[in-house]
Amino acid sequence: MTFIKLESLESIPEERRLSYQDLAISIFTVNQPKESKNLTRSECTYCETMIADWSTICPSCNVKFPICVASGKPIMDANQQWTCSRCKHNCLRVELVSFNNCPLCHHPISS
Ligand SMILES: [Zn+2]
Ligand SMILES: [Zn+2]
């Protein structure tokens, strides 16, 4: 009786651990393009084509993206776009975390 109990207790966590592993991998894969700061490709917000993150123009729909003056990367997500009220240049909000002033003209950042 005790032996059977132990055996069933051992087999269940093993199965669960495997399915949790699969789940973790699929969540990671789905979220990676948006969560990762080191992404190398981004999705065009207009036509959903995957384009290199240094590319400022979508090769598919020819949309031109504003350039982040802090990182040099194109800003493909309008929600990530911050525009300096003085010099009118653009920055990615994630890049502004380490700045208190506009990286270009040093105008104080107001959010
Ligand atoms: Zn496009
Ligand atoms: Zn500025």
Side-chain angles (χ1 to χ4, degrees):
M1 196 61 192
T2 314
F3 176 73
I4 291 164
K5 256 189 175 175
L6 274 174
E7 197 181 49
S8 59
L9 274 174
E10 267 180 359
S11 66
I12 292 168
E14 172 72 15
E15 275 175 33
R16 282 192 183 163
R17 198 166 64 228
L18 285 173
S19 63
Y20 283 150
Q21 237 169 32
D22 283 351
L23 198 68
I25 290 167
S26 61
I27 288 172
F28 179 75
T29 309
V30 167
N31 288 340
Q32 196 181 26
K34 278 169 189 171
E35 304 272 307
S36 170
K37 281 186 174 178
N38 300 316
L39 75 174
T40 52
R41 288 173 90 78
S42 303
E43 200 174 81
C44 172
T45 47
Y46 296 90
C47 68
E48 296 181 358
T49 298
M50 294 303 285
I51 47 178
D53 75 346
W54 42 262
S55 175
T56 59
I57 300 173
C58 172
S60 178
C61 67
N62 286 321
V63 156
K64 205 168 187 289
F65 301 103
I67 302 297
C68 169
V69 292
S71 66
K73 292 176 187 171
I75 301 162
M76 296 174 190
D77 184 354
N79 294 321
Q80 275 296 313
Q81 184 176 346
W82 170 86
T83 306
C84 176
S85 57
R86 187 205 257 172
C87 71
K88 306 295 178 195
H89 281 82
N90 300 293
C91 263
L92 284 162
R93 289 188 186 277
V94 286
E95 303 290 344
L96 281 179
V97 171
S98 50
F99 290 94
N100 292 317
N101 301 78
C102 170
L104 201 68
C105 72
H106 304 292
H107 186 65
I109 292 165
S110 51
S111 47

